[in-house]
């Protein structure tokens, strides 16, 4: 899909050995930083118990996500409920197919099987 860049370099700037000329449109893919192997041990591993988890999924600075506390609470409740109630959940395809989106990374679908549902 055609996307409109949100940011423009105001001056020549060097990033990791590459000069981005002033006036260049740039996309800041902050989610990529969550997989920086210089910052995280096993960056591609899903580890909900990871410590020192200073990721950028909710952005940073003055425009950091306003709804992050709500999103965290909703996710904790939803995942905890799901895993408490589903018996033996398993991924059908591991890894699942990923959507083609340069900015928002995630599965296009996440099919699972399970053997039953426990009472709430
Ligand atoms: C897992 C869920 C969510 C993720 C991953 C997420 C991620 C983000 C990110 C990365 C930004 C920064 C965008 C930027 O720098 O331009 C942002 C901004 C924002 N988010 Fe979220 N968000 C989530 C849920 C929510 C919810 C539930 C709400 C509201 C109830 C919300 C409200 C906002 C608002 C208002 C901003 C703009 C803040 C500003 O510009 O000052 N988000 N979000």
């Amino acid at each position: 899909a055609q996307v409109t860049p949100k940011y423009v370099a105001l001056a020549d700037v060097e990033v990791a050995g590459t000069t981005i000329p002033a006036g260049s449109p740039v996309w800041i893919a902050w989610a990529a930083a969550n997989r920086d192997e210089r910052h995280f041990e096993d960056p591609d591993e899903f580890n909900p118990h990871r410590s020192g988890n200073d990721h950028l999924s909710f952005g940073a600075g003055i425009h950091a996500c306003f709804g992050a506390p709500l999103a965290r609470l909703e996710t904790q409740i939803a995942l905890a409920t799901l895993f408490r109630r589903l018996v033996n959940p398993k991924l059908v395809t591991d890894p699942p197919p990923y959507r083609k989106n340069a900015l928002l990374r995630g599965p296009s679908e996440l099919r699972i099987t399970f053997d039953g549902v426990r009472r709430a």
Side-chain angles (χ1 to χ4, degrees):
Q2 185 74 28
V3 288
T4 310
K6 196 172 175 183
Y7 304 105
V8 172
L10 296 178
D12 288 0
V13 60
E14 194 186 305
V15 179
T18 299
T19 300
I20 300 170
S24 302
V26 287
W27 266 113
I28 311 288
W30 55 79
N34 293 347
R35 287 167 174 254
D36 185 349
E37 70 281 353
R38 291 168 304 178
H39 196 73
F40 296 109
E41 223 175 276
D42 299 327
D44 293 331
E45 190 75 19
F46 172 65
N47 176 8
H49 303 294
R50 186 163 76 176
S51 62
N53 200 20
D54 47 348
H55 60 79
L56 290 178
S57 299
F58 292 112
I62 58 166
H63 287 290
C65 179
F66 184 74
L70 175 63
R72 284 197 167 95
L73 189 63
E74 288 175 336
T75 307
Q76 282 168 16
I77 292 169
L79 291 182
T81 304
L82 200 64
F83 290 117
R84 202 166 46 239
R85 296 199 57 201
L86 293 185
V87 181
N88 199 19
K90 283 192 180 132
L91 287 174
V92 172
T93 314
D94 187 8
Y98 274 69
R99 57 187 173 177
K100 293 182 171 63
N101 185 313
L103 197 60
L104 297 171
R105 192 168 185 282
S108 54
E109 60 179 37
L110 191 69
R111 293 179 185 232
I112 61 167
T113 57
F114 48 91
D115 297 337
V117 180
R118 294 185 193 93
R119 282 171 183 270

Coordinates of all heavy atoms in Angstrom, one line a residue, residues 6-7 30 56-60 62-68 70-71 74-75, ligand 1:
K6 N 5.8 10.3 7.7 CA 5.3 11.2 8.8 C 6.4 12.2 9.1 O 6.1 13.3 9.6 CB 5.0 10.3 10.0 CG 4.2 11.0 11.0 CD 3.7 10.0 12.1 CE 3.0 10.7 13.2 NZ 2.6 9.8 14.3
Y7 N 7.7 11.8 8.9 CA 8.8 12.7 9.3 C 9.7 13.0 8.1 O 9.8 12.2 7.2 CB 9.6 11.9 10.4 CG 8.8 11.5 11.6 CD1 8.4 10.2 11.7 CD2 8.3 12.4 12.5 CE1 7.6 9.8 12.8 CE2 7.5 12.1 13.6 CZ 7.2 10.7 13.7 OH 6.4 10.3 14.8
W30 N 9.7 2.2 15.1 CA 10.2 2.0 16.4 C 10.0 0.6 16.9 O 10.8 0.1 17.8 CB 9.5 3.0 17.4 CG 8.0 3.0 17.4 CD1 7.2 2.0 17.9 CD2 7.2 3.9 16.7 NE1 5.9 2.3 17.7 CE2 5.8 3.4 16.9 CE3 7.4 5.0 15.9 CZ2 4.7 4.1 16.4 CZ3 6.3 5.7 15.4 CH2 5.0 5.2 15.6
L56 N 9.7 -0.4 22.9 CA 9.1 0.8 22.4 C 7.7 0.6 21.8 O 7.3 1.4 20.9 CB 10.0 1.4 21.3 CG 11.3 2.0 21.9 CD1 12.2 2.5 20.8 CD2 11.0 3.1 22.9
S57 N 7.0 -0.5 22.2 CA 5.7 -0.8 21.6 C 4.7 0.3 21.8 O 3.8 0.5 20.9 CB 5.2 -2.1 22.1 OG 6.1 -3.2 21.9
F58 N 4.8 1.1 22.8 CA 3.9 2.1 23.1 C 4.5 3.5 22.8 O 4.0 4.5 23.2 CB 3.4 2.1 24.5 CG 2.5 0.9 24.8 CD1 3.0 -0.1 25.7 CD2 1.3 0.8 24.3 CE1 2.2 -1.2 26.0 CE2 0.5 -0.3 24.5 CZ 0.9 -1.3 25.4
G59 N 5.6 3.5 21.9 CA 6.2 4.7 21.6 C 7.1 5.3 22.7 O 7.4 4.5 23.7
A60 N 7.4 6.5 22.7 CA 8.3 7.1 23.7 C 8.2 8.6 23.6 O 7.7 9.2 22.6 CB 9.7 6.7 23.5
I62 N 7.1 12.6 24.4 CA 5.8 13.3 24.6 C 4.6 12.7 23.9 O 3.5 12.9 24.3 CB 5.9 14.8 24.3 CG1 6.2 15.0 22.8 CG2 6.8 15.6 25.2 CD1 6.0 16.5 22.3
H63 N 4.8 11.9 22.9 CA 3.7 11.3 22.2 C 3.5 9.8 22.6 O 2.9 9.0 21.9 CB 3.8 11.5 20.7 CG 3.4 12.9 20.3 ND1 2.2 13.4 20.4 CD2 4.2 13.9 19.9 CE1 2.2 14.7 20.0 NE2 3.4 15.0 19.7
A64 N 4.1 9.4 23.7 CA 4.0 8.0 24.1 C 2.5 7.7 24.3 O 1.7 8.6 24.6 CB 4.8 7.8 25.4
C65 N 2.2 6.4 24.1 CA 0.8 6.0 24.1 C 0.0 6.4 25.3 O 0.4 6.0 26.4 CB 0.7 4.5 23.9 SG -1.0 3.9 23.9
F66 N -1.0 7.1 25.1 CA -1.9 7.6 26.2 C -2.7 6.4 26.8 O -3.0 6.5 28.0 CB -2.9 8.6 25.6 CG -3.8 9.3 26.6 CD1 -3.3 10.3 27.4 CD2 -5.1 8.9 26.6 CE1 -4.2 10.9 28.3 CE2 -6.0 9.6 27.5 CZ -5.5 10.5 28.4
G67 N -3.0 5.4 26.0 CA -3.8 4.3 26.5 C -3.0 3.1 27.0 O -3.6 2.1 27.2
A68 N -1.7 3.3 27.1 CA -0.8 2.1 27.5 C -1.3 1.4 28.8 O -1.4 0.2 28.8 CB 0.6 2.5 27.6
L70 N -4.2 1.1 30.1 CA -5.5 0.4 29.7 C -5.1 -0.8 28.9 O -5.6 -1.9 29.1 CB -6.5 1.3 29.0 CG -7.8 0.6 28.6 CD1 -8.5 0.1 29.7 CD2 -8.6 1.6 27.8
A71 N -4.3 -0.6 27.8 CA -4.0 -1.7 26.9 C -3.3 -2.8 27.7 O -3.5 -4.0 27.4 CB -3.1 -1.2 25.8
E74 N -5.9 -4.7 29.8 CA -6.8 -5.5 28.9 C -6.1 -6.7 28.5 O -6.7 -7.8 28.5 CB -7.2 -4.7 27.7 CG -8.3 -3.6 28.0 CD -8.6 -2.7 26.8 OE1 -7.8 -2.6 25.9 OE2 -9.7 -2.1 26.8
T75 N -4.8 -6.6 28.1 CA -4.0 -7.7 27.6 C -3.8 -8.8 28.7 O -4.0 -10.0 28.5 CB -2.7 -7.3 27.0 OG1 -3.0 -6.2 26.1 CG2 -2.0 -8.4 26.3
Ligands
LIG1 C1 -1.7 -2.8 22.5 C2 -2.4 -1.6 22.3 C3 -1.7 -0.3 21.9 C4 -0.5 -0.1 21.3 C5 0.5 -1.1 20.8 C6 -0.4 1.3 21.1 C7 0.7 1.9 20.6 C8 0.8 3.3 20.5 C9 2.0 4.0 20.0 C10 3.3 3.3 19.4 C11 1.8 5.3 20.0 C12 2.8 6.4 19.7 C13 2.6 6.9 18.2 C14 3.5 8.0 17.8 O1 4.6 8.2 18.5 O2 3.2 8.7 16.9 C15 0.5 5.5 20.6 C16 -0.1 6.7 20.8 C17 -1.4 6.9 21.3 N1 -2.2 5.9 21.8 FE1 -1.9 3.9 21.8 N2 -1.5 1.9 21.6 C18 -2.4 1.0 22.1 C19 -3.6 1.1 22.8 C20 -4.2 2.4 23.0 C21 -5.4 2.6 23.7 C22 -6.3 1.4 24.3 C23 -5.7 3.9 23.7 C24 -6.8 4.7 24.3 C25 -7.7 4.2 25.2 C26 -4.6 4.5 23.0 C27 -4.5 5.9 22.8 C28 -3.4 6.5 22.3 C29 -3.3 8.0 22.1 C30 -4.3 9.0 22.4 C31 -2.0 8.2 21.5 C32 -1.5 9.6 21.1 C33 -0.6 10.1 22.2 C34 0.0 11.5 21.8 O3 0.2 11.7 20.6 O4 0.3 12.3 22.7 N3 -3.7 3.6 22.6 N4 -0.1 4.3 20.8

